[in-house]
Amino acid sequence: MRRAATFLLLGVLPWLTFSAWAGDSVPKPTIRIATEGKCIAPAEEMRRNHMDMLKHQRDKTLRQGIRGEKASLNGCIECHAAKSTGSVIGHDDSFCQSCHSYAAVKLDCWDCHQPKAGYKATGVKP
Amino acid sequence: MSLVPFSRREETLFYMVAGFGAAIVAIGLAAALYMEHSGHVVTGMNNQIVWGLPHVFAIFLIVAASGVLNVASIGSVFGKVLYKKRAPLSGLLCIAMLAGGLAVIMLDLGRADRLVVAMTHFNPTSVFGWNVILYPGMFGIVAVYLWTMMERRMNPWSKPVGFAAFIWRLLLTTGTGSIFGFLVARQAYQSAVLAPMFIIMSFAWGLAVFMIVQRVMFAWNAMTVAPAIRNRMKNLLGVFVAAVFYFVAVYHLTNLYFAKQVAFERFILLDGGIFPVLFWGGWLFLGTILPLLLLYLPGLSAMCGSVAIASGLVILGAFCQLYVFIIGGQAFPLEIFPGMEMSSSFFDGRVDTYTPSWPEFILGLGGIGIAFTMTAIGVRVLRFLPEDDLTHLEAAGNVTD
Amino acid sequence: MSNNDRRGFLAASAGLGLVAIAPGVHLMQVAQARPAGEPASKLQRWGMLVDTAKCATGCDACVSACATENGINEKVADPRQAAQWIRKIDLKDPKNGRQHSLPMMCQHCAEPPCVDVCPTGASMKRADGIVLVDRHICIGCRYCMMACPYKARSFVHQPLTQQNPEVPRGLGCVESCTLCVHRVDKGQKPACVEACPEGAMVFGDLEDPNSDIARRIAQTATTQVRADLKLNTGVRYQGI
């Protein structure tokens, strides 16, 4: 039993990881970036830290009232909303959704925030 | 004492009981998931009646949970042998009902997925915030208390831990009562009497639950509670029920004394539709007068099952009382401009109506299911059955009256 | 001094000149946009004064303006479950039959009960007195709604998709009037104040003795609703 487990750990796992590096057999998210150009930080850093940047900014803006921060969710949307739908979510290749569904990380932002760029809300008197 | 193995029939019966409990828990969770997914639009709760049936169930379970521990406290803190034998069962019921009540209140949250936020963000001025500490603390203390009682080597510690649990449960019920007591804006709630009233209510409701569970456990094992013990415990229940009556009377009489609360009292006691019916018929007649008659009237109190029926009625009365208190308190219009007549599209100045929907009722039932299932499994796998040694009790002078 | 330096110097003096006239502009505009990176200040307290004598019964321009500005547009089957950030209340004194009408919304108390009771600290008061809900940590317990003496808060009962990008709001959280914080931070007035056809609402800094609102509160009798609760409201009324 133990030998089987050791075999699994030493033999199979590195092989699996290696094939992940090799990259061919592992599905990757398809992200369509509508507006190419410079982001507020290199892509590598954005991929790793966007959540912290946004969280830091959201607390500063909401709780202290600091406006005009570099990182901003609406800023993300302005650049990254898909040309076809105008949104960062809704399809499997939408900017936010593509990676988040790939990584199985729940997206909470859009329960409250508007995912469409340049959206103009209407008002209906209650 | 030799252990008699369970019969096959008994075993099947147990699995049926446990399965029944689990099924109730499952549909309760399904209801919660449905509410979570669709939003509270599928409930009868709204922006005027913001707390509804789930809160009636949850507050009953939480208050009764702290009250049921009273049985253990009488044993360990006040040294009564009769109750000491019942301390483990009382601890188990406390944990089970607390778990059920908390589950209901958590699953009713608008963002139940943010349980971690509730645990990691703490506002020291919030009574709700204190309760976030008091409830898990209660679990911990009672768990340790059970351990000191059931593990022989830890027995010497059971008295101090029991005392700590006693203090903690008083704090807990004070906290629950204060959730309402500190609401200055609402006519129904701001009152210092609510904290002690909730403590007395917890005594009565907890003991009523205990009496029913005890009776069922004894019946399961083909035993009956010795008449002297039954007599003693039923008298205690009667005293608690009478004490609740006293506190409720004081609460309403003080409200009547304050001129600006008279309109609210009129609403709850006379012309508020369902609320006076539940108050007079549900709480006062079914939940107070009838149980007192069953417990004390010589002809009735000796009847088999009278104590269990009285206990059931006390619980029914408790639900009526909480419904009147929580929902009636919100249905009465908030006085934003005292002395003025108000009207608006937001139902200002109007009595609000509330029709509970199925999901919220089932969610509340699920909480009871959690308590039921935990108790059923607990008493089966561990030794919770009170074992009375009558000669010993008599020697200790515990059953003389 | 090189040419470049001189240009810089000229630009800087022009800037200084602008700052020098700013106080005058400030009086006209009520508020100034806060520079980027600067937090809301304790030296200010935003408030509102409503003259109920000017507020017309049956007019709800403020309510419509609020709905448009804040993207309140969801269809709610049960009106009891609808969110209302601002509403018109019609009042009648039963003793003498006097009737009047006024807008009711979050009163932006200095001692807000909703902030006291919130278990997570989601209900919060910004340094400049604006009471907000931090929806990122709101768990939807509705305790603040129980505590609010003005019924100013609403719970969102259903999923929303048509929010205004500047005004996030959504399912399962409690919300209320933000005093149009996103506009105030840009130096604009709240939408309701701007929309009022009678000019019955005045917005401004209660802490600034030269502001229109502070001068009017100093000169005329104004009322805080449920003043007996001593919450020190930021929204004041005239003529109740």
Side-chain angles (χ1 to χ4, degrees):
Chain A
M1 188 60 213
R2 185 178 291 174
R3 268 174 69 178
T6 319
F7 168 76
L8 201 75
L9 277 175
L10 293 181
V12 180
L13 278 183
W15 178 76
L16 277 175
T17 354
F18 179 74
S19 47
W21 285 332
D24 300 332
S25 54
V26 178
K28 278 190 170 168
T30 42
I31 316 166
R32 200 158 296 158
I33 295 174
T35 319
E36 297 275 356
K38 252 177 77 184
C39 196
I40 56 167
E44 204 38 55
E45 194 190 333
M46 291 309 295
R47 267 177 218 148
R48 218 165 264 286
N49 297 329
H50 68 279
M51 62 301 271
D52 294 327
M53 293 158 109
L54 285 171
K55 191 173 177 210
H56 189 65
Q57 174 270 334
R58 85 171 199 208
D59 288 340
K60 275 169 85 175
T61 301
L62 175 58
R63 302 192 77 93
Q64 297 174 41
I66 297 174
R67 300 280 180 175
E69 290 288 277
K70 195 172 71 169
S72 108
L73 194 64
N74 281 344
C76 301
I77 302 164
E78 289 311 319
C79 278
H80 293 300
K83 286 244 165 66
S84 52
T85 58
S87 175
V88 288
I89 54 165
H91 289 282
D92 276 343
D93 62 353
S94 302
F95 186 75
C96 295
Q97 194 171 326
S98 55
C99 274
H100 273 261
S101 55
Y102 175 76
V105 176
K106 195 186 158 200
L107 259 172
D108 225 7
C109 309
W110 315 115
D111 285 1
C112 290
H113 286 273
Q114 177 55 252
K116 287 186 175 152
Y119 187 82
K120 195 83 197 85
T122 53
V124 179
K125 201 170 53 197
Chain B
M1 195 169 103
S2 65
L3 285 173
V4 184
F6 289 118
S7 73
R8 227 201 153 92
R9 194 179 143 271
E10 193 270 356
E11 195 144 329
T12 321
L13 201 59
F14 168 75
Y15 283 116
M16 278 167 66
V17 166
F20 172 72
I24 291 186
V25 176
I27 59 163
L29 288 177
L33 205 66
Y34 175 58
M35 279 166 63
E36 179 76 8
H37 184 73
S38 334
H40 278 59
V41 68
V42 297
T43 71
M45 290 177 273
N46 52 55
N47 282 330
Q48 336 301 321
I49 308 268
V50 302
W51 285 353
L53 214 49
H55 301 80
V56 171
F57 276 91
I59 290 172
F60 172 79
L61 283 167
I62 290 166
V63 170
S66 77
V68 82
L69 196 70
N70 200 40
V71 172
S73 301
I74 300 175
S76 63
V77 179
F78 304 104
K80 302 280 182 206
V81 181
L82 155 64
Y83 289 98
K84 219 171 203 161
K85 296 280 182 203
R86 284 158 175 76
L89 178 58
S90 127
L92 172 72
L93 280 171
C94 171
I95 287 187
M97 282 201 283
L98 198 57
L102 287 183
V104 174
I105 233 164
M106 287 299 171
L107 291 172
D108 173 72
L109 292 176
R111 299 294 312 237
D113 53 328
R114 291 192 181 152
L115 188 60
V116 177
V117 172
M119 294 297 178
T120 51
H121 291 71
F122 176 65
N123 175 12
T125 63
S126 166
V127 180
F128 239 32
W130 306 344
N131 286 338
V132 171
I133 293 180
L134 286 170
Y135 294 151
M138 187 79 187
F139 271 114
I141 290 190
V142 176
V144 172
Y145 185 33
L146 279 179
W147 180 48
T148 59
M149 284 189 292
M150 302 187 94
E151 163 65 61
R152 203 173 292 254
R153 283 168 301 174
M154 293 301 293
N155 279 172
W157 288 96
S158 84
K159 201 175 162 98
V161 176
F163 190 73
F166 173 66
I167 298 291
W168 197 271
R169 66 139 308 238
L170 288 182
L171 287 175
L172 182 110
T173 326
T174 306
T176 311
S178 301
I179 288 178
F180 296 96
F182 283 23
L183 294 174
V184 288
R186 303 230 174 208
Q187 291 88 322
Y189 301 132
Q190 51 141 343
S191 167
V193 87
L194 290 182
M197 185 171 118
F198 266 72
I199 291 180
I200 295 297
M201 292 188 319
S202 82
F203 286 172
W205 304 350
L207 190 57
V209 171
F210 188 89
M211 297 299 276
I212 290 178
V213 174
Q214 171 176 265
R215 187 188 156 85
V216 171
M217 282 176 69
F218 272 64
W220 188 278
N221 292 285
M223 293 154 60
T224 45
V225 184
I229 294 174
R230 173 185 185 267
N231 212 30
R232 227 189 137 76
M233 295 187 78
K234 88 165 175 63
N235 283 345
L236 188 65
L237 180 63
V239 170
F240 288 159
V241 171
V244 171
F245 171 78
Y246 169 77
F247 267 89
V248 173
V250 167
Y251 164 74
H252 286 290
L253 286 172
T254 47
N255 267 353
L256 282 170
Y257 185 75
F258 300 134
K260 61 176 181 181
Q261 311 282 45
V262 170
F264 169 69
E265 286 300 321
R266 222 192 127 76
F267 172 73
I268 288 291
L269 303 179
L270 284 178
D271 50 20
I274 179 90
F275 304 114
V277 175
L278 287 177
F279 181 85
W280 298 106
W283 172 73
L284 188 68
F285 180 70
L286 289 177
T288 304
I289 297 176
L290 214 54
L292 285 177
L293 291 178
L294 281 167
L295 293 172
Y296 285 120
L297 218 62
L300 281 175
S301 66
M303 243 169 55
C304 174
S306 66
V307 177
I309 295 171
S311 303
L313 285 171
V314 168
I315 294 171
L316 182 73
F319 273 91
C320 294
Q321 190 186 359
L322 281 176
Y323 194 90
V324 172
F325 179 72
I326 297 174
I327 293 155
Q330 296 173 79
F332 186 72
L334 193 60
E335 279 204 311
I336 302 175
F337 297 93
M340 300 271 225
E341 284 169 11
M342 287 189 292
S343 62
S344 79
S345 61
F346 207 43
F347 307 93
D348 286 295
R350 265 202 273 166
V351 168
D352 281 306
T353 53
Y354 166 71
T355 318
S357 70
W358 280 105
E360 49 194 317
F361 175 69
I362 293 171
L363 170 62
L365 219 55
I368 293 184
I370 290 175
F372 176 84
T373 314
M374 280 176 77
T375 310
I377 294 172
V379 297
R380 169 87 177 187
V381 298
L382 288 169
R383 203 157 154 174
F384 282 108
L385 184 73
E387 287 158 14
D388 294 310
D389 183 344
L390 281 176
T391 48
H392 184 73
L393 282 173
E394 269 160 27
N398 265 200
V399 285
T400 39
D401 55 323
Chain C
M1 212 180 250
S2 78
N3 246 359
N4 263 348
D5 281 344
R6 186 169 298 132
R7 214 170 285 147
F9 174 71
L10 284 175
S13 12
L16 272 177
L18 274 180
V19 172
I21 25 173
V25 177
H26 175 90
L27 274 183
M28 308 285 287
Q29 277 196 329
V30 181
Q32 261 182 307
R34 201 174 41 254
E38 205 174 282
S41 160
K42 255 198 291 204
L43 301 172
Q44 285 178 314
R45 183 175 177 212
W46 296 119
M48 204 187 279
L49 177 63
V50 181
D51 187 350
T52 59
K54 288 185 188 162
C55 181
T57 305
C59 167
D60 53 8
C62 51
V63 182
S64 303
C66 174
T68 309
E69 180 62 37
N70 294 302
I72 298 167
N73 48 28
E74 61 274 15
K75 282 198 182 64
V76 187
D78 179 358
R80 286 166 197 283
Q81 291 180 329
Q84 298 209 15
W85 290 20
I86 183 172
R87 63 191 191 270
K88 283 296 295 289
I89 296 186
D90 293 322
L91 286 172
K92 186 182 170 189
D93 191 335
K95 291 188 283 291
N96 51 27
R98 187 174 95 94
Q99 293 190 1
H100 60 302
S101 173
L102 50 78
M104 175 53 63
M105 73 299 263
C106 172
Q107 302 286 296
H108 298 278
C109 312
E111 310 283 344
C114 54
V115 174
D116 283 346
V117 301
C118 178
T120 65
S123 238
M124 49 154 280
K125 191 182 67 168
R126 225 168 68 154
D128 56 4
I130 300 181
V131 175
L132 297 170
V133 179
D134 183 348
R135 287 180 186 74
H136 304 116
I137 56 171
C138 172
I139 55 174
C141 72
R142 285 104 81 203
Y143 197 15
C144 54
M145 299 175 72
M146 292 290 277
C148 177
Y150 309 104
K151 250 173 87 172
R153 289 212 158 166
S154 295
F155 178 70
V156 178
H157 286 75
Q158 60 195 44
L160 304 181
T161 52
Q162 301 181 44
Q163 302 93 332
N164 176 349
E166 284 187 298
V167 189
R169 49 191 297 259
L171 172 71
C173 291
V174 174
E175 58 183 25
S176 58
C177 157
T178 65
L179 215 61
C180 281
V181 66
H182 59 290
R183 291 171 59 93
V184 170
D185 282 351
K186 283 188 285 198
Q188 299 167 328
K189 293 183 216 169
C192 54
V193 175
E194 207 169 77
C196 180
E198 312 290 337
M201 302 166 98
V202 179
F203 171 80
D205 181 5
L206 295 168
E207 293 290 328
D208 175 5
N210 294 318
S211 70
D212 192 16
I213 186 170
R215 272 184 293 157
R216 287 178 62 172
I217 285 176
Q219 282 159 9
T220 47
T222 56
T223 321
Q224 302 184 32
V225 179
R226 289 299 308 267
D228 56 318
L229 297 173
K230 297 191 172 67
L231 303 174
N232 186 1
T233 56
V235 178
R236 310 287 171 92
Y237 292 85
Q238 213 176 320
I240 293 182

